[in-house]
Amino acid sequence: MSTYTKYLAPVLLTVLVISVSSCNWGKKSDTPTVAETPEVVVTAPDFSSDSAFSYTAKQVAFGPRVPNSKGHQACGDWMIATAKTFADTVYVQQFTAQAFDGKNLNGRNIIASFNPAAAKRILLCAHWDTRPFADQDTIDRDKPIDGANDGAGGVGILMEVARAIQSAKLTNIGVDIMFIDVEDYGQPQDSKFPPMDDSYCLGSQHWAKQPHVPGYKASFGILLDMASARGAIFTREGTSARSGGWVQDRVWANADRIGFSSFFNNTLTGGIIDDHKYIMEITKIPMVDIIHFDANTNSGFGWYWHTHRDNMETVDKTTLLAVGKTVLYTVYQYEAESKAQ
């Protein structure tokens, strides 16, 4: 994952002073907004933070999930088998991507689909691969990292979301949970190789150009990245705000509605390059990135980012609960709205 400051807008520390329900940052997507529907009763299934934590720990136990490694292969196999116990259909999109260093990386995007016949859909995403080197560390910088928060935590949340959806069937909308591969093999700043544009997010770039279902469309999407750490604060990230601002309005308002406003902060911060950027640009699906912003670091990410300190000690069950329940509420809110229409 690239830093806030290197690629896009510098960090903005202006606090929003208008209501969450009415603010709109930048141009709206061409996708019809669902934000102006009447209030409905939302009944979302339970979300277990213990379960999400267990799914996170399971991934980390495989070791670093670097493409072409044994740990990566084994973890992917487990994810596919687990997703099949929950989803109506599981798609496995195999692809090969060339990294900045010339290596051909064997990747698998794993898509767990619920109610696949439904026209109205939500896309939920998290990447499952890990950084092949600890380029932000001071020791063992050439060794891969655990990626407990940067990768495994988001997947753990969405695996528990999948279990919850399986327990409370959707009838009016469909949901696709995509576990994205080859996100974190991006070129480090001190690389000896020639600069490569768009070196991060290779799996999402591939999927956006060749989705698992030809012509795939979703009403909106939510990306989870570095969304499980203790003390996480999720600001309104700028790339999301420009192209998916109404999705931010909805998700942040829902977090406040169910008691997690301390996690979801209405400060607008700089835009980043993440999987949602390519999905929005190529497919035009508006998306929001739920990602921790840390004003105390130069990168804007947590102090453990791309270091060996990104281990299970960074993962917090309360953060898992806040994000998981907010995502589930948003899913079943759209289900209830679609039923009422």
Side-chain angles (χ1 to χ4, degrees):
M1 180 50 45
S2 56
T3 66
Y4 282 85
T5 53
K6 181 181 178 184
Y7 290 96
L8 298 179
V11 173
L12 301 175
L13 296 179
T14 303
V15 178
L16 308 184
V17 294
I18 54 180
S19 69
V20 173
S21 60
S22 63
C23 67
N24 172 30
W25 294 96
K27 180 181 178 182
K28 286 189 177 182
S29 166
D30 293 334
T31 303
T33 176
V34 296
E36 298 179 356
T37 52
E39 286 292 326
V40 294
V41 176
V42 179
T43 304
D46 290 337
F47 180 92
S48 169
S49 59
D50 288 338
S51 178
F53 188 89
S54 178
Y55 290 134
T56 302
K58 179 69 174 181
Q59 295 168 77
V60 174
F62 286 109
R65 282 83 63 208
V66 177
N68 298 350
S69 70
K70 291 182 179 180
H72 180 263
Q73 178 69 37
C75 184
D77 291 346
W78 168 78
M79 289 171 61
I80 293 167
T82 304
K84 284 182 176 179
T85 66
F86 303 137
D88 297 319
T89 304
V90 174
Y91 301 86
V92 179
Q93 184 184 59
Q94 300 191 40
F95 63 95
T96 301
Q98 188 173 70
F100 71 91
D101 57 4
K103 292 181 181 178
N104 289 321
L105 306 176
N106 297 312
R108 286 185 288 180
N109 290 329
I110 303 164
I111 303 98
S113 184
F114 297 83
N115 197 13
K120 294 181 178 180
R121 311 199 65 76
I122 298 174
L123 177 65
L124 307 177
C125 302
H127 79 87
W128 65 277
D129 63 306
T130 53
R131 189 76 166 154
F133 25 70
D135 52 309
Q136 299 298 317
D137 213 327
T138 57
I139 59 170
D140 295 329
R141 299 180 75 244
D142 60 339
K143 294 181 180 180
I145 67 172
D146 284 348
N149 180 48
D150 193 356
V155 172
I157 292 169
L158 292 187
M159 199 65 82
E160 170 59 9
V161 166
R163 184 207 62 77
I165 292 175
Q166 192 271 339
S167 72
K169 299 291 187 180
L170 297 168
T171 58
N172 300 287
I173 67 167
V175 170
D176 302 288
I177 298 177
M178 179 161 62
F179 303 113
I180 302 171
D181 205 356
V182 199
E183 187 266 5
D184 226 352
Y185 209 110
Q187 188 167 19
Q189 295 183 31
D190 60 354
S191 171
K192 64 182 180 181
F193 294 93
M196 175 181 172
D197 293 333
D198 302 313
S199 65
Y200 280 88
C201 308
L202 300 184
S204 57
Q205 292 184 59
H206 178 83
W207 177 86
K209 295 171 184 176
Q210 302 177 52
H212 64 290
V213 174
Y216 177 86
K217 296 294 181 184
S219 299
F220 62 93
I222 300 173
L223 172 67
L224 307 183
D225 196 358
M226 293 185 274
S228 62
R230 184 175 295 104
I233 298 295
F234 307 114
T235 55
R236 287 180 172 243
E237 180 271 331
T239 304
S240 305
R242 281 190 293 275
S243 298
W246 68 264
V247 184
Q248 277 187 333
D249 294 347
R250 169 171 287 242
V251 174
W252 264 244
N254 286 343
D256 179 65
R257 185 175 288 116
I258 62 176
F260 296 112
S261 59
S262 61
F263 289 88
F264 288 78
N265 186 295
N266 281 314
T267 301
L268 177 65
T269 48
I272 63 171
I273 293 177
D274 206 344
D275 290 312
H276 68 314
K277 174 183 182 291
Y278 298 99
I279 294 173
M280 286 195 290
E281 288 180 350
I282 297 170
T283 72
K284 308 306 179 185
I285 297 170
M287 292 190 72
V288 59
D289 192 359
I290 298 178
I291 185 167
H292 171 51
F293 173 76
D294 190 338
N296 297 313
T297 65
N298 291 330
S299 66
F301 302 131
W303 50 267
Y304 38 77
W305 172 67
H306 287 182
T307 73
H308 295 293
R309 291 170 291 178
D310 186 3
N311 52 41
M312 284 303 297
E313 292 183 6
T314 70
V315 179
D316 180 67
K317 289 184 180 180
T318 305
T319 306
L320 294 170
L321 185 69
V323 176
K325 286 182 73 70
T326 299
V327 170
L328 267 180
Y329 187 94
T330 302
V331 168
Y332 282 86
Q333 178 188 57
Y334 192 31
E335 164 80 354
E337 291 169 352
S338 298
K339 183 178 181 179
Q341 290 175 353

